[in-house]
Amino acid sequence: MLRKWLCTALLLLLSPVSLPAQENYLVAYAGFAGFQAPVWAPKDLGLMAKYGFNGDVVLVPGSVRQIQAVLGGSIHMAQIDAATGINAINQGADIVMLSGTLNNFPYSFVTQKEIRKPEDLLGKKIGILAVGGATETATFLALKAWNIPRQSVTIFPAGDSASRIAALSARAIDATMLSYPDINEALRLGLHELVKMPDVKGTSFPMNVMIARRAFVEKNRDAVKRFQQAYAEGTYQFMTSREKGIAVLSKRLRFKNPKGLEETYDYFAKNFSMPTRVSRDGLRNTLDIIAQRNPAVKVDMNLGRYLDESIIDELEREGFFKRLTGKS
């Protein structure tokens, strides 16, 4: 009997220990523009592994689809634009903004070559990505800044950036918002860059905000914190290392033109935010726009309904950003 027990014990000691599998978290990006780099960099630069975050990045086109995927549980976090996030929250979605890396529109208003000033847009067709999204919001803000009535132009969804460039080339639309590197492609086709959106007064807007379900954050706070560390350092390394930044863009962008990669890097490296906070002024600006767009819908102006930066606050108290940047 004793011999049998000893044999059983020996087998148990020699057998591999079965541990519960660590969950693999998925973080979504919306497309192939340079402003998606803060999502790519943590993975491509090995920072998810550095901070013990077991995750990967996946393409889910468009902020609306990303939110649907987060709510459905097929992805865990997503980098979206603030306007789409606010609209979803106001409609009852259990999501919250956690951090941000870009607080202005990374767009230029690209038009047919004969459109040389804002007034030339009167009566024209403007293509956007989706109703309620960032390209529509940017378009509304630009028209407002130029005192061009919304009713004097036709605005409609015209597909992703590649589809909109094709539509411009075929003269199916007259104007659209594009980001780098797509701006370069449009200019090579002879189209006109009417204005860079950061140069248009009154257009502060949180373009990159990281979201998750509130319930997910509460249940997985440690994992979310680990990702936020990787997200911040990935953004910082992109901003401060031209070699690493261009390597990330070269891997992820659909084109490999060296000049285009350099132009894309130069634009975004100086525009990302550190620490990775959402601009509260930009968020208020976005809420004002949404309220003006839908006067019949009551918009909650309490930022706490949309934003929870408690993890970012915690990292700041712990000195994480100071150690990362070497600045007080």
Side-chain angles (χ1 to χ4, degrees):
M1 186 69 178
L2 181 59
R3 181 179 295 178
K4 183 178 180 181
W5 183 88
L6 288 172
C7 289
T8 303
L10 184 60
L11 285 171
L12 288 172
L13 287 172
L14 294 176
S15 297
V17 178
S18 178
L19 297 175
Q22 185 181 1
E23 183 168 2
N24 186 56
Y25 299 105
L26 297 178
V27 184
Y29 59 93
F32 297 99
F35 61 85
Q36 303 294 346
V39 178
W40 300 331
K43 183 66 179 180
D44 296 347
L45 300 179
L47 299 169
M48 288 185 177
K50 173 182 176 179
Y51 289 101
F53 180 78
N54 185 36
D56 207 345
V57 297
V58 294
L59 171 66
V60 180
S63 291
V64 173
R65 290 181 182 175
Q66 287 178 296
I67 291 172
Q68 292 170 342
V70 167
L71 293 174
S74 57
I75 61 173
H76 302 92
M77 287 176 276
Q79 182 174 269
I80 68 168
D81 68 89
T84 310
I86 288 171
N87 285 327
I89 293 167
N90 284 335
Q91 292 169 22
D94 176 36
I95 61 171
V96 65
M97 302 177 198
L98 304 170
S99 58
T101 52
L102 183 62
N103 286 297
N104 55 55
F105 287 111
Y107 297 138
S108 284
F109 208 109
V110 177
T111 66
Q112 299 293 348
K113 59 184 179 181
E114 65 271 15
I115 297 176
R116 311 304 294 186
K117 56 187 184 298
E119 306 90 87
D120 295 338
L121 291 168
L122 293 171
K124 303 300 185 182
K125 295 175 289 185
I126 302 174
I128 59 173
L129 174 60
V131 173
T135 54
E136 184 190 52
T137 303
T139 300
F140 284 168
L141 274 175
L143 294 176
K144 179 182 177 182
W146 296 328
N147 293 316
I148 296 177
R150 161 69 181 84
Q151 297 76 15
S152 67
V153 297
T154 301
I155 301 174
F156 59 93
D160 62 12
S161 58
S163 299
R164 283 179 278 130
I165 291 173
L168 280 168
S169 297
R171 305 190 72 86
I173 61 175
D174 300 294
T176 193
M177 291 286 176
L178 293 175
S179 184
Y180 284 100
D182 296 308
I183 293 168
N184 295 323
E185 177 62 21
L187 296 180
R188 279 189 281 271
L189 293 173
L191 297 164
H192 176 58
E193 184 179 29
L194 182 64
V195 68
K196 296 181 186 295
M197 282 302 294
D199 295 336
V200 180
K201 188 177 179 180
T203 60
S204 173
F205 174 79
M207 183 67 196
N208 283 357
V209 296
M210 187 58 60
I211 64 153
R213 291 189 65 183
R214 284 186 182 270
F216 173 81
V217 177
E218 291 171 4
K219 185 178 178 181
N220 302 276
R221 186 176 177 85
D222 181 66
V224 175
K225 183 177 179 179
R226 291 174 185 276
F227 173 73
Q228 290 297 336
Q229 290 172 295
Y231 187 58
E233 183 165 345
T235 303
Y236 185 70
Q237 286 198 19
F238 182 93
M239 294 168 67
T240 57
S241 172
R242 186 180 180 85
E243 180 182 356
K244 290 180 180 179
I246 290 178
V248 170
L249 295 177
S250 179
K251 178 178 178 178
R252 296 287 180 173
L253 293 179
R254 291 176 293 190
F255 76 103
K256 306 300 178 186
N257 178 279
K259 183 179 180 181
L261 290 171
E262 290 173 1
E263 290 171 343
T264 302
Y265 174 81
D266 290 340
Y267 178 86
F268 287 106
K270 63 186 178 184
N271 278 296
F272 287 137
S273 301
M274 187 58 53
T276 47
R277 290 190 177 276
V278 177
S279 165
R280 291 174 182 262
D281 287 341
L283 204 54
R284 292 187 187 96
N285 190 25
T286 307
L287 288 167
D288 287 339
I289 297 164
I290 292 172
Q292 292 168 17
R293 184 189 300 163
N294 303 301
V297 178
K298 186 177 180 181
V299 177
D300 190 343
M301 302 301 286
N302 175 23
L303 298 188
R305 184 177 181 194
Y306 313 99
L307 179 65
D308 177 6
E309 288 187 321
S310 61
I311 291 178
I312 299 299
D313 292 340
E314 186 176 310
L315 289 172
E316 192 122 49
R317 287 194 302 272
E318 293 171 352
F320 172 78
F321 292 106
K322 182 179 179 180
R323 290 193 301 272
L324 181 62
T325 64
K327 299 177 182 178
S328 301

